[in-house]
Amino acid sequence: MSATGRSTSSAQSAPPASAVPPARTGPSGPRPGTAPPGAAPVPLHPVDRAFLKLERARPDVRWDAGGIAHLSGRAPALADLRAYIGLRLTELPLLTSRATTGRRPRWQPDPDFAVDRHVHEVVADGPEGWDAALHTALDAPFAPGAYWGVWLVHGHADDAYALCYRFRHACQDGAAAAMTFRAVLGEGEPSGRPVPAPGRRTAILRRVAAAVGLAAKSAAHTFPVRGHRPGAGYEPTGERRLSRGRVPADTLRRIGAARGGSAHDAHLAALAGALGEWAARSGVPLPRATAVLPVDARRPDDEQAWGNRCFALPLDLPVGVTEGGPDAARRRLDHVLAATRRLRGGARRRAIGDLVRHMPAGPTAWYTRRVLSPRVTNVMATSMPVAERGGLGDTRVTGTALLPLFVPGHLVAVALSFFGEWAEVSFVTDGGLPQGERLPDLWERAVAELEEATAPRP
């Protein structure tokens, strides 16, 4: 996104009073601006290696994702925020790692790691400069060699600011980023992600067959069908836009539960309705919308706040089901439920976990490249429970927005975050997409239509 907000150095930081708890000094904690001891070297997961390979093959593409936390209260000084982040990195040692190359690439401690290269500041030129400052944080390049960055965005108001956290997808997926949020801004509540429960022991040959079958079926979906390739239908500009909407989280849960599904199912059905309505209003043809669904496949003993442990599945969204009011809304929801129901069983979850754990690097890179190709998919759709609450010192998190990976050629990247009592949707689109800013409103209307369609009848 283009912007004109001005970045400042620590010498031009926020007011001296800080809402950040003071960092410890001396033997019990790091000195401000330095890194804590790094973690022991660990091998790069095949999905990590797949994204690093994509970065090398397409250096012109932004292979980053992230999120924004909006907070109420006075913004901290940049120096205090850097000291605080440096202290919290003792709980996240792999964030101070770098990737090695060679036959057995690893994440190993970075001896040159410096907090100052990862934590930055953008000051808005008053209330009117808020959008430009936020977009500056969203578009700012990473420091050389950095895999992630935090941008403190303030200056538009005395009692509000934002923290923008962005990361290269090679080092984190959305679930790992949510864990990082909980460690830095959360208040210690347990993870909201589904952790695999111990199940019956399954014969190894049956598990192998299930994983191989899943791999073959998923790979088959990455071969485009003649005449059914998703089309862009507009001239992209390369400029990213972010727009947001929100509904009560319980509303999505009630909609999903009414038909035997989940809040995520309700979100996808509303997304299909919003995209279908958007296509009709904008005049951009949308004969087919195929979403990439990242599925978290972490095991309880996996590293929780670093690396990629997800498997991407393609899902056709029923964007063509537009006529019929509440009946059409129910049909969209039933279509989504039929497609996602097979993912809820323990056997399928176990097969996804086995596949992610044991799939070799070569096939993993091949599949990742194909499933993200706009010849196969044109929508990124993910959702993540972030936290029940959060804060930084005396300031409180009032809202969140996820920044999903936006692949060139895709129509839109959509992310749903659950924070507190709200379900907040983020749409990342190209600046040339006609009426792209209307998508959050259309999504909220589609949720309302689903709520009416699934309400108990008297």
Side-chain angles (χ1 to χ4, degrees), residues 13-313:
S13 59
S18 174
V20 176
R24 293 175 293 171
T25 57
S28 60
R31 299 186 309 278
T34 65
V42 296
L44 265 71
H45 190 273
V47 184
D48 302 345
R49 297 167 68 175
F51 276 105
L52 285 173
K53 191 172 183 178
L54 284 171
E55 287 185 4
R56 291 192 295 268
R58 293 289 307 275
D60 57 311
V61 174
R62 303 279 300 269
W63 298 104
D64 64 296
I68 301 169
H70 295 268
L71 296 98
S72 63
R74 192 174 186 183
L78 178 60
D80 289 340
L81 180 62
R82 284 173 169 169
Y84 174 76
I85 295 294
L87 175 65
R88 300 315 294 262
L89 288 176
T90 59
E91 304 172 27
L92 304 164
L94 279 171
L95 266 73
T96 65
S97 298
R98 61 180 177 85
T100 65
T101 58
R103 294 184 59 187
R104 295 182 179 180
R106 294 176 176 271
W107 295 110
Q108 70 174 23
D110 183 358
D112 299 321
F113 181 90
V115 174
D116 290 5
R117 291 194 300 113
H118 292 75
V119 183
H120 317 280
E121 183 178 36
V122 182
V123 180
D125 292 322
E128 296 77 15
W130 168 247
D131 286 341
L134 187 60
H135 294 170
T136 296
L138 296 178
D139 279 343
F142 293 110
Y147 290 91
W148 58 271
V150 173
W151 283 263
L152 169 64
V153 188
H154 66 101
H156 64 294
D158 293 334
D159 59 352
Y161 68 100
L163 292 179
C164 176
Y165 173 62
R166 290 175 34 231
F167 53 89
R168 290 163 57 183
H169 215 304
C171 70
Q172 277 188 323
D173 55 23
M179 307 290 177
T180 300
F181 178 97
R182 292 171 183 273
V184 176
L185 296 179
E187 297 189 356
E189 70 269 21
S191 168
R193 72 182 182 89
V195 177
R200 295 181 303 172
R201 295 182 63 87
T202 306
I204 186 65
L205 289 179
R206 185 177 300 173
R207 289 182 62 170
V208 170
V212 171
L214 174 64
K217 189 172 183 179
S218 300
H221 276 102
T222 67
F223 289 94
V225 178
R226 185 182 299 274
H228 291 278
R229 296 174 182 171
Y234 73 99
E235 189 65 31
T237 66
E239 177 189 10
R240 296 188 298 181
R241 288 179 180 169
L242 171 67
S243 52
R244 302 168 57 204
R246 59 162 31 182
V247 298
D250 283 344
T251 299
L252 290 183
R253 295 188 183 108
R254 284 195 304 269
I255 293 169
R259 310 291 282 188
S262 67
H264 184 60
D265 296 320
H267 159 61
L268 291 174
L271 175 60
L275 288 173
E277 182 66 19
W278 166 83
R281 295 185 180 209
S282 67
V284 177
L286 189 63
R288 180 172 177 239
T290 304
V292 181
L293 300 184
V295 179
D296 183 16
R298 276 176 173 75
R299 298 155 52 94
D301 56 343
D302 281 334
E303 164 59 40
Q304 300 299 301
W306 192 251
N308 291 267
R309 300 291 189 279
C310 62
F311 188 72
L313 292 171

Side-chain angles (χ1 to χ4, degrees), residues 178-179 181-182 189 192 384-388 400 402 416-419:
M179 307 290 177
F181 178 97
R182 292 171 183 273
E189 70 269 21
M384 190 59 54
V386 176
E388 289 298 321
T400 59
L402 300 184
L416 186 71
S417 61
F418 293 91
F419 178 79

